[in-house]
Amino acid sequence: QSGQVMLGKYTQQFEEALAERSGASHCVVVGSGSDALMYGLQAAGENSVCVPAQSFIATPNSCLRANIDITWCDVDVKGCIDWHSVTHNSVWVGLFGNDCKPDTSVKIYEDGAQHFGLPLRGVFASYSFDPTKSLPNFGNGGAVVTNDADLADGVRQLRRHGVVDTHVGGNSTMSERDCAECLIKLDFFDTWTQRRRCIAEYYIQQLSDYVEIVTDPKGMVSKFVIATDCKNELRNHFALSGIQTKENYAKPLAEMPQATQNCERFLSIPCDSYTTDKEASMVVESLKMFFEPSPFKT
């Protein structure tokens, strides 16, 4: 009705709502989570970061697109960054929605694609709103939240091609329609999160005697991940039962001991805000059928 298809009132309202939810002073909406991380790092003036070896390829790609050098660091048994292996300013990835509280004095930049909903802890957090995320847009989208006014202003300029002699930006926005959609979905976000946490608690209660639990139900539970030495066999067993599973992730981004071991053992099982009690029960019964009568079999 307004004729304003980008950067109008719904974009502004969405930015204000995201900033408030994250406990931040500023928010800038951009075209994707990858752009959000890239522009945030550029606006921060960063030139070198530590990146965890277990993450999606978008994490290092965003750094490389920003012309930033990468030093790899390892993760822990939950896939969270191993702060003891961090040597300088770092990109923190809240893998699977787990809350990995920073334990370091270096600057933290959050790749928050999987942990939207947690309070801001770093210099900035970058979010993704693609259809697989906890706040899903039927398209793509991302945002940067920060308490640094200058950094936020830098991201605003970069999303509209940047500033001459500073950084080369791009054309990276969400449409007014997409921002309006996500504003409505924000009203349901807490309900959806609570549903995923309830399923996670049920899985933990039922499955802890059979597999190791990776996902923390107190986090955002973007995925429910288990660890087992017979991942491939279990995955094939689930497939025969008509149950879809995912590998997160098949290989580490760099050869690091714990990241490599995690990738060999991690498997995500169905856990969504739309997963029914019956479906969750089917997952549990199928897994128990595989392991009985030998829990933790190898």
Side-chain angles (χ1 to χ4, degrees), residues 83 86-88 90 101-108:
W83 297 111
V86 170
T87 57
H88 54 285
S90 176
K101 295 180 176 62
D103 182 21
T104 179
S105 59
V106 303
K107 290 183 179 179
I108 300 299

Side-chain angles (χ1 to χ4, degrees), residues 150-200:
D150 291 336
L151 189 148
D153 185 59
V155 175
R156 288 190 191 95
Q157 295 180 60
L158 288 164
R159 74 178 175 184
R160 298 297 288 163
H161 297 290
V163 180
V164 176
D165 297 329
T166 305
H167 288 295
V168 176
N171 183 10
S172 184
T173 60
M174 289 177 66
S175 72
E176 281 285 272
R177 196 217 69 84
D178 286 342
C179 288
E181 175 189 320
C182 285
L183 269 170
I184 293 172
K185 289 179 174 178
L186 267 178
D187 292 336
F188 298 88
F189 180 77
D190 290 335
T191 300
W192 293 340
T193 301
Q194 186 56 38
R195 175 57 183 168
R196 293 195 306 275
R197 286 172 173 163
C198 285
I199 295 170

Side-chain angles (χ1 to χ4, degrees), residues 47-282:
N47 53 35
S48 179
V49 291
C50 286
V51 174
Q54 187 178 13
S55 182
F56 186 51
I57 191 65
T59 304
N61 276 358
S62 297
C63 300
L64 295 173
R65 289 169 63 209
N67 199 29
I68 292 173
D69 293 331
I70 290 174
T71 300
W72 298 106
C73 59
D74 208 353
V75 295
D76 63 17
V77 294
K78 298 286 189 179
C80 294
I81 192 168
D82 176 11
W83 297 111
H84 298 294
S85 68
V86 170
T87 57
H88 54 285
N89 296 349
S90 176
V91 175
W92 163 40
V93 182
L95 215 59
F96 316 132
N98 286 345
D99 187 359
C100 313
K101 295 180 176 62
D103 182 21
T104 179
S105 59
V106 303
K107 290 183 179 179
I108 300 299
Y109 308 108
E110 297 182 46
D111 179 347
Q114 297 184 41
H115 70 250
F116 171 73
L118 294 178
L120 172 67
R121 291 197 177 93
V123 176
F124 70 82
S126 58
Y127 299 136
S128 171
F129 307 118
D130 82 19
T132 67
K133 297 301 187 287
S134 300
L135 183 66
N137 177 32
F138 292 154
N140 218 323
V144 175
V145 296
T146 182
N147 288 315
D148 186 328
D150 291 336
L151 189 148
D153 185 59
V155 175
R156 288 190 191 95
Q157 295 180 60
L158 288 164
R159 74 178 175 184
R160 298 297 288 163
H161 297 290
V163 180
V164 176
D165 297 329
T166 305
H167 288 295
V168 176
N171 183 10
S172 184
T173 60
M174 289 177 66
S175 72
E176 281 285 272
R177 196 217 69 84
D178 286 342
C179 288
E181 175 189 320
C182 285
L183 269 170
I184 293 172
K185 289 179 174 178
L186 267 178
D187 292 336
F188 298 88
F189 180 77
D190 290 335
T191 300
W192 293 340
T193 301
Q194 186 56 38
R195 175 57 183 168
R196 293 195 306 275
R197 286 172 173 163
C198 285
I199 295 170
E201 293 282 6
Y202 170 68
Y203 280 157
I204 291 170
Q205 180 185 40
Q206 295 292 323
L207 303 180
S208 293
D209 288 340
Y210 300 88
V211 293
E212 297 169 30
I213 305 299
V214 176
T215 296
D216 180 0
K218 296 179 181 178
M220 301 314 297
V221 193
S222 64
K223 297 175 175 62
F224 190 87
V225 180
I226 60 176
T228 175
D229 291 330
C230 46
K231 177 184 74 173
N232 293 331
E233 294 84 353
L234 177 59
R235 193 175 189 197
N236 291 336
H237 169 79
F238 274 132
L240 291 173
S241 302
I243 297 171
Q244 185 184 37
T245 57
K246 295 284 188 180
E247 282 188 294
N248 304 109
Y249 298 89
K251 294 182 180 180
L253 296 170
E255 292 298 326
M256 291 284 173
Q258 191 62 55
T260 299
Q261 183 176 341
N262 289 352
C263 290
E264 292 172 350
R265 304 181 73 243
F266 281 12
L267 185 69
S268 65
I269 60 179
C271 182
D272 188 85
S273 53
Y274 298 104
T275 302
T276 65
D277 290 348
K278 181 179 179 180
E279 290 168 337
S281 179
M282 288 173 58

